Amino acid sequence: MTLTKKIINSGDDVVDEMVEGLLLAHSGIVTSVPGSPRSIIARHGPRPGKVGMVIGGGSGHEPTFVGFVGKGLADAAAIGNVFASPPPDPILACAVAVNQGAGVLFCYGNYAGDVMNFDMAAEMAEMDGIEVRTVVTTDDVASAPRDQRHKRRGVAGNFFVFKAAGAACDLMLPLDEVVRVANLANDRTYTVGVGLSACSLPQTRRANFHLGDEEMEVGLGIHGEPGIIRQPLQTADAIVDDMLDRIFAEMNPQRGDRVAVLVNSLGSTTLMELYVMNRRVRQRLDALGVEVHATWVGPYCTSLEMAGASVTLMHLDDELTRLIDLPCDCAMFRAG
Amino acid sequence: MTLTKKIINSGDDVVDEMVEGLLLAHSGIVTSVPGSPRSIIARHGPRPGKVGMVIGGGSGHEPTFVGFVGKGLADAAAIGNVFASPPPDPILACAVAVNQGAGVLFCYGNYAGDVMNFDMAAEMAEMDGIEVRTVVTTDDVASAPRDQRHKRRGVAGNFFVFKAAGAACDLMLPLDEVVRVANLANDRTYTVGVGLSACSLPQTRRANFHLGDEEMEVGLGIHGEPGIIRQPLQTADAIVDDMLDRIFAEMNPQRGDRVAVLVNSLGSTTLMELYVMNRRVRQRLDALGVEVHATWVGPYCTSLEMAGASVTLMHLDDELTRLIDLPCDCAMFRAG
Amino acid sequence: MTYETPAFIAMFTAIARSMEENRDHLCALDGVIGDADHGIAMQQGFAAVDKALAALDAGQASPTDVFNTAAKSFLNAVGASSGPLYATAMMRAGASLKGKATASAQDVALLIPAMTKGISDRGKAQPGDKTMLDAWQTAADRVLALVEQGSPLAQVLTEAVAAAEAGAQSTIPMEAKLGRSARLGQRSVGHIDAGAASAALVIKAISESFG
Amino acid sequence: MTYETPAFIAMFTAIARSMEENRDHLCALDGVIGDADHGIAMQQGFAAVDKALAALDAGQASPTDVFNTAAKSFLNAVGASSGPLYATAMMRAGASLKGKATASAQDVALLIPAMTKGISDRGKAQPGDKTMLDAWQTAADRVLALVEQGSPLAQVLTEAVAAAEAGAQSTIPMEAKLGRSARLGQRSVGHIDAGAASAALVIKAISESFG
Ligand SMILES: Nc1ncnc2c1ncn2[C@@H]1O[C@H](COP(=O)(O)OP(=O)(O)O)[C@@H](O)[C@H]1O
Ligand SMILES: Nc1ncnc2c1ncn2[C@@H]1O[C@H](COP(=O)(O)OP(=O)(O)O)[C@@H](O)[C@H]1O
Ligand SMILES: [Mg+2]
Ligand SMILES: [Mg+2]
Ligand SMILES: [Mg+2]
Ligand SMILES: [Mg+2]
């Protein structure tokens, strides 16, 4: 079997070299904790009395998570190997670095590995006298039935949950309030993704699953985990309709409601395709009389070079609207 | 032969549907000329006495060109079919829409089709009493020998030339000065790209060229035009070294010089890979004592879903530094 | 024999059909040394022409109107290199029929040199630059020679097709000087120019339409 | 027969070698229902362990030190699900040898139940959830039964391997309840769990190292 082609030096070094390159590129916005290069912290985030917000997870989803560190967003991100949760040490280093006495929020996608490692880091932080609270994101509608929402994966909707929670921290809300906001944001955020082709890990350079030439996988995860159904590739409109039907079934949108929209590329799906999708998203929302308050289109939560896309809706209320609108200053994200 | 998979409705409609979707997503920043949907104009760009700046070219390079329309950048972009120059009409509509009496700059990549269509539009604009001046970008070092720089293609370096010229317009410089700045920026901008895999047009959904499983094409164009040499895939460091050797041979960097860096994905090459490349770019510049004033990393000038990347250096002087630093407000670009 | 508006509309329909059939083939040719879209440009351009002409009132429109409408719709549908080149070609062809409600056999034959002039004026290519002009110019030269000799239209067109095909084939050993493939130098040698290949097909469709 | 620090270091070297050899195979298994990285995690984790242990002063370090060093280096190299699970397993194994400079054959045999306890405490999986615990628990149960009967170490380990392999195979018809494959429900049925497959290999390497 032929190996995939990547511009890397070695699969074993790729994460460390990526971190090096990104710290150089965005040195005005982020730096790393001395002695813990995979603990990325915002230069202008933490300040006295502010709740510190630590996000993180495996690499390979860039700009998630590293790109979302900055003033008004996350104060720190702990970076793992490709598709692997970071171990507790770099998470703890983040918590220590951003702790300003007001406690720390851990916010990350709901995966067994992340939960175990972040929980270990939380225990260690508590031993250091740092109060830690955790909110895991569970926006992937396709990943478990509605009555088991807590089992769902966190995917591109991270973007909205991090934005809202980061804004709450920036507004100097206390830890309890930040946790409430993060949970509220997560509860009101819904994502469905489709995959058109596999990605390949830099260490193996082999496709991590196989899809037929004409097939797509509906509901697949951002690590290539299988979804709920494999079917022939549809048109953009049909794909979006199916995604939105699944989201609407849960969100139950009413005329006059407001949403924020994220049309996200999993990697190699182009902006051209995403904008075609966004057109359909808007048609459907218009038809329901739902107002689109803001739209983001682009590769925000990727799965290496996977082809595919996801649509996320955040069902806004007044509080979330204000939080989403609050300016922020990170390396790869534009707000407002 | 199997067709590539894309999230589209039809190859014939994809450009119009993309434009629709992007106007909806970025309605605060861009709109289109009434009756000419492929003429995208900045809501807050044109103003009395300001030189109007019109960019444009084929689709398939997003966020180039549409993403670079906004205050402090281009006032308008005319959008063609995939990989095809727009015809004169939408270009003319842009010129008419942004003309504020101070003249209009046409700035676009140097391709036969673009030159013919923009020149026809310029003639038509002149007939309408609009003064038009043209600067074509020619940053692709690999596309012609040094003594035939005027024959070179314009590729990712567009980004820097547009930024500098757009800032000059925003500073209300007169047309002559804007043209001087655009030429200066172009003369000091150098790009080399490598391709790892082909892209496919939405209408044919067939790979538009063929590369072997272990091969890369050095110097290829952003439409998949062949480059200068086809060779086995190298490491990231070796690829960057080769790119920079070609750039340095022309730029002739001196200790103490200043540059802006763009590490650009042609489509499916990931941020992870680009940051690994950026690490090497910085190592090489550090070794020469060249200061990096600013770095951009990401998909800025793509070739549909092609795998590959380019490195662009802009050899800054004080004037260009100031222009590059000037804030701008477009849908997909972060300055400063 | 004389030719009126419907004959020219039919000619464009024939070209459109040929481009439709050859779209992917022409894209593949363009892919070797260019950007793989030439078939799309030609197909889309002539489909737009066909559509615009179908909307024309054939009773009212002159042959010149047909060519001008074709030029405009081709250009606006396509852009690219082919757009200005073919649009100018069609405008020159239209100009050559100016004021005539009916065209003679000779008028029809001279459309090919007129179109060639348009392509040459717009693109400023030289024969030997490895462009569509290599097909058009070879055909135009042959047409002019035969018209000079007073050859019948059927013969003129048949020989024009053969000349265009030879002109297209002649681009294979050439090094590209203009257009996207210009930067390839030696690497462009050994491949036919896509624009020259489509030119031969256009001329063939014209010939069959009047044959 | 008794076992000292070098024996445990050698055991980890043997595991590391096996994970190196099986990396791509384990990734492929994980790819079917997970994220295709399990082989990398195991290879990278045990390579880090091997490296950390090579830096240890074998004259100074106790068996417990070996396991604690292994736990720490595995965890920090890997993260993921495997990191906390195996790190906790190794810490429990280290604790079971606490204060002993030399370990008895029975101590060695009881490492497997100790590690299993760690995995179970950390991951809170139940047997039947289609995880690595299905291999570890089956092996641990067999070990405890044989130790109870006073069976010799060689036999205990040989049977532990067989039990682990059976436990791994038993995951094939199971529906996943935990970890990345939990959302698959029915679609996870019919495929072996990658973590269970690697667990059998780890236990095999332990067995061969002491056999
Ligand atoms: N200056 C020129 N004069 C004549 N023909 C040209 C010129 N430049 C390009 N061409 C022709 O155009 C063809 C390419 O057309 P097309 O693929 O439609 O446009 P683009 O180059 O914009 O992709 C080339 O194969 C060549 O024959
Ligand atoms: N809670 C758990 N308890 C025991 N084993 C688990 C648990 N969650 C996951 N696993 C095991 O971990 C394996 C996956 O490990 P690995 O691929 O290294 O981590 P990740 O899931 O983070 O990619 C699964 O095959 C399963 O055997
Ligand atoms: Mg993983
Ligand atoms: Mg083209
Ligand atoms: Mg072309
Ligand atoms: Mg895994």
Side-chain angles (χ1 to χ4, degrees):
Chain A
M1 205 171 65
T2 57
L3 301 179
T4 59
K5 290 189 269 190
K6 290 178 187 280
I7 307 183
I8 60 175
N9 291 309
S10 114
D12 286 334
D13 298 335
V14 70
V15 174
D16 291 323
E17 293 186 356
M18 167 185 77
V19 169
E20 236 185 273
L22 85 88
L23 292 175
L24 290 166
H26 309 299
S27 58
I29 292 173
V30 288
T31 183
S32 62
V33 175
S36 185
R38 294 192 183 184
S39 304
I40 313 296
I41 48 173
R43 284 198 186 275
H44 308 295
R47 56 188 189 275
K50 189 176 100 64
V51 170
M53 178 168 160
V54 177
I55 61 174
S59 297
H61 307 302
E62 292 70 30
T64 297
F65 298 85
V66 280
F68 301 160
V69 177
K71 177 162 181 347
L73 251 166
D75 296 296
I79 304 306
N81 291 335
V82 178
F83 290 176
S85 166
D89 276 4
I91 304 171
L92 177 63
C94 285
V96 170
V98 307
N99 173 44
Q100 300 274 339
V104 171
L105 173 71
F106 281 1
C107 194
Y108 54 89
N110 183 35
Y111 296 91
D114 294 277
V115 172
M116 286 189 272
N117 285 283
F118 273 86
D119 278 355
M120 287 174 81
E123 282 170 37
M124 291 152 80
E126 302 275 2
M127 293 191 312
D128 286 359
I130 302 173
E131 185 180 0
V132 175
R133 302 278 293 277
T134 295
V135 174
V136 294
T137 62
T138 57
D139 57 300
D140 187 353
V141 169
S143 58
R146 197 187 311 201
D147 58 349
Q148 296 175 39
R149 164 117 203 182
H150 65 285
K151 285 198 182 170
R152 287 182 178 169
R153 300 181 285 237
V155 289
N158 278 338
F159 178 83
F160 287 130
V161 181
F162 296 166
K163 178 70 188 75
C169 294
D170 202 32
L171 292 171
M172 305 296 281
L173 299 191
L175 186 54
D176 276 348
E177 277 292 280
V178 168
V179 169
R180 182 187 59 76
V181 162
N183 277 316
L184 175 72
N186 182 55
D187 287 346
R188 297 179 71 102
T189 300
Y190 308 85
T191 302
V192 176
V194 298
L196 270 58
S197 75
C199 58
S200 65
L201 298 173
Q203 273 150 319
T204 59
R205 290 170 53 208
R206 289 178 203 283
N208 69 345
F209 61 93
H210 185 73
L211 260 178
D213 284 335
E214 324 253 299
E215 283 180 336
M216 67 178 193
E217 175 93 20
V218 178
L220 102 166
I222 56 169
H223 310 87
E225 300 98 329
I228 36 183
I229 182 168
R230 187 166 285 198
Q231 59 183 46
L233 178 65
Q234 312 280 307
T235 63
D237 286 356
I239 290 171
V240 169
D241 283 348
D242 178 59
M243 289 170 158
L244 290 182
D245 288 344
R246 293 176 192 275
I247 290 174
F248 290 164
E250 304 222 346
M251 191 177 100
N252 192 21
Q254 305 296 314
R255 186 161 295 273
D257 280 0
R258 230 176 308 133
V259 294
V261 174
L262 169 63
V263 184
N264 173 60
S265 170
L266 292 178
S268 59
T269 291
T270 59
L271 280 179
M272 179 178 280
E273 293 158 272
L274 300 183
Y275 283 117
V276 169
M277 293 176 71
N278 184 52
R279 168 184 167 276
R280 184 63 179 176
V281 169
R282 189 65 74 97
Q283 287 176 348
R284 291 289 309 273
L285 290 168
D286 282 351
L288 290 177
V290 172
E291 182 200 331
V292 175
H293 178 71
T295 302
W296 283 268
V297 178
Y300 286 89
C301 183
T302 61
S303 185
L304 295 166
E305 79 277 29
M306 196 184 288
S310 64
V311 168
T312 303
L313 297 188
M314 186 188 224
H315 198 175
L316 295 172
D317 60 11
D318 289 344
E319 182 177 28
L320 292 173
T321 305
R322 202 164 47 94
L323 294 168
I324 288 292
D325 283 348
L326 203 82
C328 63
D329 191 26
C330 65
M332 308 167 203
F333 174 129
R334 209 196 123 89
Chain B
M1 205 171 66
T2 57
L3 301 179
T4 60
K5 290 187 269 189
K6 291 179 187 279
I7 307 183
I8 59 176
N9 292 309
S10 115
D12 286 334
D13 298 334
V14 71
V15 174
D16 290 322
E17 292 187 356
M18 167 186 76
V19 168
E20 235 184 275
L22 85 87
L23 291 175
L24 290 166
H26 309 299
S27 58
I29 292 174
V30 288
T31 183
S32 62
V33 175
S36 185
R38 293 192 185 185
S39 304
I40 314 295
I41 48 173
R43 284 199 186 274
H44 308 294
R47 55 189 189 274
K50 189 176 100 65
V51 170
M53 179 168 158
V54 176
I55 61 175
S59 297
H61 308 301
E62 291 70 31
T64 297
F65 299 86
V66 280
F68 301 160
V69 177
K71 178 163 182 348
L73 252 167
D75 296 297
I79 303 307
N81 291 334
V82 178
F83 290 178
S85 167
D89 275 3
I91 304 172
L92 177 63
C94 285
V96 170
V98 308
N99 173 44
Q100 300 275 337
V104 171
L105 173 71
F106 282 1
C107 194
Y108 55 88
N110 183 35
Y111 296 91
D114 295 276
V115 172
M116 286 189 271
N117 286 284
F118 274 85
D119 278 356
M120 286 174 81
E123 282 169 37
M124 292 153 81
E126 302 275 0
M127 294 191 312
D128 286 357
I130 301 173
E131 186 180 1
V132 175
R133 302 279 293 278
T134 295
V135 175
V136 293
T137 63
T138 57
D139 58 300
D140 186 353
V141 170
S143 59
R146 198 187 311 199
D147 58 349
Q148 295 175 40
R149 163 120 203 180
H150 65 284
K151 285 199 182 170
R152 288 183 177 166
R153 300 182 285 238
V155 289
N158 278 338
F159 177 84
F160 287 131
V161 181
F162 295 166
K163 178 71 187 74
C169 294
D170 202 32
L171 292 171
M172 305 295 281
L173 297 191
L175 185 55
D176 277 348
E177 277 293 279
V178 168
V179 169
R180 182 188 59 75
V181 162
N183 277 315
L184 175 72
N186 182 55
D187 287 346
R188 296 179 70 100
T189 299
Y190 307 86
T191 301
V192 176
V194 299
L196 269 59
S197 75
C199 57
S200 65
L201 298 174
Q203 272 150 319
T204 59
R205 290 171 51 208
R206 288 178 205 282
N208 69 344
F209 61 93
H210 184 75
L211 260 177
D213 284 336
E214 324 255 298
E215 283 181 334
M216 66 179 192
E217 175 94 18
V218 179
L220 101 165
I222 54 168
H223 310 87
E225 301 97 329
I228 37 183
I229 181 169
R230 187 166 285 199
Q231 58 184 47
L233 179 65
Q234 313 280 306
T235 63
D237 287 356
I239 289 171
V240 170
D241 283 348
D242 177 59
M243 289 171 158
L244 290 182
D245 288 344
R246 293 176 193 275
I247 291 173
F248 290 163
E250 304 221 348
M251 190 177 100
N252 193 20
Q254 306 295 313
R255 186 161 294 276
D257 280 1
R258 230 176 309 132
V259 294
V261 174
L262 169 62
V263 184
N264 174 60
S265 171
L266 293 178
S268 60
T269 291
T270 59
L271 280 179
M272 178 178 280
E273 293 158 272
L274 300 183
Y275 283 117
V276 170
M277 293 176 71
N278 184 52
R279 168 183 167 276
R280 184 63 179 176
V281 169
R282 189 64 72 97
Q283 287 176 349
R284 291 290 309 274
L285 290 168
D286 283 350
L288 290 176
V290 172
E291 182 200 331
V292 175
H293 178 72
T295 302
W296 284 268
V297 178
Y300 285 88
C301 183
T302 61
S303 185
L304 295 167
E305 78 278 29
M306 195 184 288
S310 64
V311 169
T312 303
L313 296 188
M314 185 188 227
H315 198 174
L316 295 172
D317 60 11
D318 289 345
E319 183 177 26
L320 292 174
T321 305
R322 201 162 50 91
L323 294 168
I324 289 292
D325 283 348
L326 204 83
C328 63
D329 191 27
C330 65
M332 309 168 203
F333 174 129
R334 206 196 126 89
Chain C
M1 180 148 183
T2 57
Y3 303 91
E4 295 176 9
T5 294
F8 298 102
I9 295 179
M11 175 192 91
F12 279 112
T13 304
I15 301 175
R17 196 175 320 112
S18 171
M19 294 302 118
E20 181 83 40
E21 281 161 14
N22 289 284
R23 189 192 78 159
D24 287 0
H25 170 61
L26 294 171
C27 282
L29 295 183
D30 194 25
V32 179
I33 47 182
D35 62 346
D37 64 352
H38 184 61
I40 293 167
M42 295 299 282
Q43 177 268 319
Q44 207 159 302
F46 282 105
V49 167
D50 203 33
K51 200 171 153 202
L53 295 181
L56 215 59
D57 180 345
Q60 292 289 325
S62 69
T64 298
D65 292 338
V66 169
F67 280 94
N68 286 348
T69 302
K72 227 181 134 127
S73 52
F74 190 100
L75 182 58
N76 276 319
V78 166
S81 300
S82 312
L85 293 166
Y86 272 99
T88 313
M90 293 172 202
M91 267 156 28
R92 290 287 193 285
S96 78
L97 300 176
K98 189 93 188 200
K100 301 185 181 175
T102 61
S104 68
Q106 182 170 324
D107 290 335
V108 169
L110 289 175
L111 289 174
I112 289 173
M115 289 181 75
T116 304
K117 183 75 173 41
I119 290 166
S120 156
D121 286 353
R122 174 60 60 196
K124 310 216 164 49
Q126 299 296 321
D129 282 353
K130 195 177 182 107
T131 71
M132 61 173 72
L133 193 68
D134 290 308
W136 280 101
Q137 193 67 62
T138 314
D141 290 347
R142 191 82 200 107
V143 167
L144 288 172
L146 291 170
V147 166
E148 184 99 339
Q149 296 164 28
S151 306
L153 180 61
Q155 186 198 344
V156 176
L157 290 176
T158 309
E159 293 207 21
V161 172
E165 279 165 0
Q169 293 297 318
S170 77
T171 65
I172 295 177
M174 292 177 186
E175 197 174 307
K177 300 262 164 28
L178 283 175
R180 290 192 189 285
S181 40
R183 292 82 176 184
L184 277 178
Q186 270 304 119
R187 282 182 74 182
S188 65
V189 170
H191 306 285
I192 196 167
D193 175 69
S198 67
L201 292 169
V202 169
I203 292 168
K204 184 152 183 267
I206 294 176
S207 162
E208 288 172 359
S209 165
F210 288 99
Chain D
M1 184 150 178
T2 58
Y3 303 90
E4 295 177 8
T5 294
F8 298 102
I9 296 179
M11 175 193 90
F12 279 111
T13 304
I15 301 175
R17 197 174 320 114
S18 171
M19 293 303 117
E20 181 82 40
E21 282 160 14
N22 288 285
R23 189 191 77 160
D24 287 1
H25 170 61
L26 294 171
C27 282
L29 295 184
D30 194 25
V32 180
I33 46 181
D35 61 348
D37 65 351
H38 185 61
I40 293 167
M42 296 299 281
Q43 177 267 319
Q44 207 159 301
F46 282 105
V49 167
D50 203 31
K51 201 171 150 202
L53 294 182
L56 215 60
D57 181 345
Q60 292 289 324
S62 68
T64 298
D65 293 338
V66 169
F67 280 95
N68 285 348
T69 303
K72 228 182 137 128
S73 51
F74 191 100
L75 182 58
N76 276 318
V78 166
S81 300
S82 312
L85 293 167
Y86 272 100
T88 312
M90 292 173 204
M91 269 159 25
R92 291 285 195 286
S96 78
L97 300 175
K98 190 90 185 203
K100 301 186 182 173
T102 61
S104 66
Q106 183 170 326
D107 291 334
V108 168
L110 291 175
L111 289 174
I112 289 174
M115 290 181 75
T116 304
K117 183 74 170 41
I119 290 166
S120 156
D121 287 352
R122 174 61 58 196
K124 311 220 162 48
Q126 300 295 322
D129 282 352
K130 196 179 181 102
T131 72
M132 60 173 74
L133 193 68
D134 290 308
W136 279 102
Q137 193 66 62
T138 314
D141 290 348
R142 191 83 198 106
V143 167
L144 288 172
L146 291 170
V147 165
E148 182 102 338
Q149 295 164 27
S151 307
L153 180 60
Q155 188 200 342
V156 174
L157 291 176
T158 309
E159 294 207 23
V161 172
E165 281 165 359
Q169 294 297 320
S170 78
T171 64
I172 295 177
M174 293 177 185
E175 198 173 309
K177 300 261 163 33
L178 283 175
R180 291 193 188 285
S181 40
R183 291 83 176 183
L184 278 177
Q186 269 303 117
R187 281 182 74 184
S188 65
V189 170
H191 306 283
I192 196 167
D193 175 68
S198 68
L201 292 168
V202 168
I203 293 168
K204 184 151 184 265
I206 295 175
S207 162
E208 286 171 358
S209 164
F210 287 100

